[in-house]
Amino acid sequence: MLIMHYGWDLLSKTKGLATAEDYFNNLLPSAKTLPTYGSLLNCYCKENMEEKALALFEEMDGMNFASTSLAFNNLMSLFMRLGKPEKVLPLVDEMKKRSISPNTVTYNIWMQSYAHLNDIDGAERVLEELKRENEDKLNWMTYSNLSVIYVKARLFEKAKLALKKLEEEMGSHDRVAYHFLISLYAGINDLNEVNRVWNSLKSAFPKTTNMSYLKMFQAFITLNDVNGFQICFEEWKSSCSSFDVRLANYAIRAFLGCGMIEDAESTLHWAVKRSSGPFFTALDMFMAHYLKDRKIDMALRYMEEAASEVKSNEWQPAPKRVTAFLKYFEEEKDVEGAEKFCKILKNFGGLDSNAYRLLLQTYVATGRTSPEMQKRMREDDIEMDSELGDLLQSVCPE
């Protein structure tokens, strides 16, 4: 059975690109068609594999499979991700030579390439060509793309004009377009327009989705409007029929960022009542906050709470969080604290060579030894290197 485009992408993500390549190479010649070649090219481009993508494109070209905008768009997206916008323009020229009509995606990438080259006039010329030659391919996404370009160039008045054109093109029942408008108006610091669009969205749809609320949360925080955010958050809490942990997590992060610790904690308690979790992301945010403030007892409290929830190693603290904890104990010359932390960490299956290195450094900083350390490391299957060996020799001399 022929794998469709999304199937190739899923195969590459779940089984690895090598599996997708093997599948392609084992296809019968009759099955190696434009869609299968195009799907493999898409995988190469998404993985930023320039050399393989160009070689496959050349092979496709020789078979007359590079005759649509899709293959060119994939290469253009690849070059933009690789920070090579100058390579987009020759591809557009090549499409024109071959009489391959650009689609909306082509025009948007083309505009972005000019913007990345600091040529705003060039991006505007693309828009004019689109209006002149392919007006049927012009939609609200075109103006969204242009407004982003203007915002990044700090041309805010032009951005506002582009957003007005976006609104003209989008119609009244495109929820995603409303989301873009909210985010973009927040980006130019226009609270009045954000509120206007929000009210229009709520009028246009009988139900306000979790995603719409999330976009408004983000807009209020971008605008530093904490009061507006709180009002919107409370509105969501009172009206949401389906709990979405992403919104609770965003609110916790926002409250912690504003120093509103009680609000962050009450949000977590409310979320725990609404859902069975897990809440590892939220707990990790509290850890990070208290570590930053060097309130180690509070950080450990949330670490222990996470440890009590985790099942079958489904979550581990990020390496940077482990390092932050153990560096604190090293700086404070607190061996007992470091050992307590490592005991918790072992429950996650996260007691690795890096954690032991930092633990040993804490022992060295205090001048203390541990006769059992070598045995412990051996039982925990810690792979030794020269640095660990030297530290272990200091802590556990033979």
Side-chain angles (χ1 to χ4, degrees), residues 65-316:
F65 284 171
S67 56
T68 67
S69 60
L70 181 59
F72 282 90
N73 289 346
N74 271 322
L75 285 185
M76 291 180 197
S77 296
L78 168 66
F79 288 135
M80 291 298 291
R81 283 194 296 272
L82 292 175
K84 299 179 179 181
E86 70 281 357
K87 292 195 172 186
V88 170
L89 308 182
L91 287 172
V92 176
D93 290 338
E94 186 62 27
M95 288 180 68
K96 290 183 176 182
K97 286 178 186 176
R98 301 184 185 195
S99 299
I100 299 173
S101 179
N103 62 14
T104 302
V105 174
T106 313
Y107 281 111
N108 285 341
I109 300 172
W110 188 10
M111 290 167 66
Q112 289 167 13
S113 70
Y114 273 120
H116 279 75
L117 293 169
N118 296 316
D119 185 354
I120 303 301
D121 290 341
E124 291 175 334
R125 287 195 301 273
V126 174
L127 177 64
E128 292 307 313
E129 179 178 318
L130 172 57
K131 288 178 180 177
R132 186 173 62 251
E133 299 181 11
N134 283 292
E135 191 171 9
D136 61 311
K137 295 184 174 66
L138 190 153
N139 59 28
W140 69 262
M141 285 296 295
T142 307
Y143 287 107
S144 172
N145 186 45
L146 185 62
S147 66
V148 171
I149 289 170
Y150 285 143
V151 169
K152 287 182 178 178
R154 303 191 65 78
L155 298 170
F156 298 128
E157 290 305 314
K158 285 192 171 186
K160 287 181 181 180
L161 292 174
L163 289 173
K164 291 300 179 186
K165 295 295 291 183
L166 187 165
E167 209 162 346
E168 290 174 12
E169 291 286 338
M170 75 182 206
S172 61
H173 286 83
D174 190 327
R175 195 185 298 272
V176 175
Y178 280 108
H179 293 170
F180 271 85
L181 276 173
I182 288 168
S183 299
L184 291 166
Y185 273 122
I188 59 174
N189 203 35
D190 196 330
L191 177 59
N192 289 335
E193 286 298 293
V194 166
N195 283 323
R196 180 186 66 80
V197 174
W198 176 236
N199 289 328
S200 296
L201 184 156
K202 291 196 287 186
S203 297
F205 299 95
K207 177 178 172 58
T208 307
T209 65
N210 287 332
M211 182 55 67
S212 294
Y213 274 109
L214 180 58
K215 292 298 178 183
M216 274 305 288
F217 291 179
Q218 293 167 342
F220 281 126
I221 295 303
T222 297
L223 291 161
N224 294 316
D225 185 352
V226 178
N227 184 58
F229 165 69
Q230 286 181 290
I231 293 171
C232 190
F233 179 58
E234 290 300 323
E235 179 183 308
W236 171 69
K237 284 172 63 178
S238 64
S239 64
C240 73
S241 56
S242 60
F243 177 80
D244 188 334
V245 72
R246 292 174 301 170
L247 278 75
N249 284 341
Y250 188 87
I252 290 168
R253 182 180 293 109
F255 285 134
L256 288 174
C258 295
M260 301 168 67
I261 313 306
E262 289 184 8
D263 292 272
E265 290 175 341
S266 67
T267 299
L268 177 58
H269 295 154
W270 170 80
V272 169
K273 290 178 182 177
R274 284 296 307 262
S275 168
S276 59
F279 296 98
F280 301 123
T281 300
L283 296 172
D284 184 65
M285 286 189 280
F286 280 101
M287 288 180 227
H289 172 79
Y290 285 118
L291 279 167
K292 183 181 175 183
D293 286 353
R294 298 185 70 80
K295 295 180 178 179
I296 199 68
D297 290 341
M298 292 297 295
L300 279 172
R301 186 188 114 193
Y302 283 100
M303 173 66 87
E304 289 171 334
E305 190 171 338
S308 69
E309 289 189 17
V310 75
K311 299 173 184 176
S312 304
N313 296 334
E314 63 181 322
W315 180 84
Q316 289 183 357

Side-chain angles (χ1 to χ4, degrees), residues 1-3 8 11 18-27 36:
M1 181 183 289
L2 184 66
I3 293 183
W8 280 84
L11 181 65
T19 303
E21 289 178 311
D22 288 342
Y23 181 90
F24 176 83
N25 291 330
N26 290 326
L27 287 173
T36 52

Side-chain angles (χ1 to χ4, degrees), residues 336-356:
E336 285 73 21
E339 286 286 12
K340 178 182 178 182
F341 174 78
C342 286
K343 185 177 180 180
I344 299 170
L345 193 60
K346 194 168 182 175
N347 293 334
F348 293 109
L351 192 55
D352 57 13
S353 58
N354 180 58
Y356 263 111

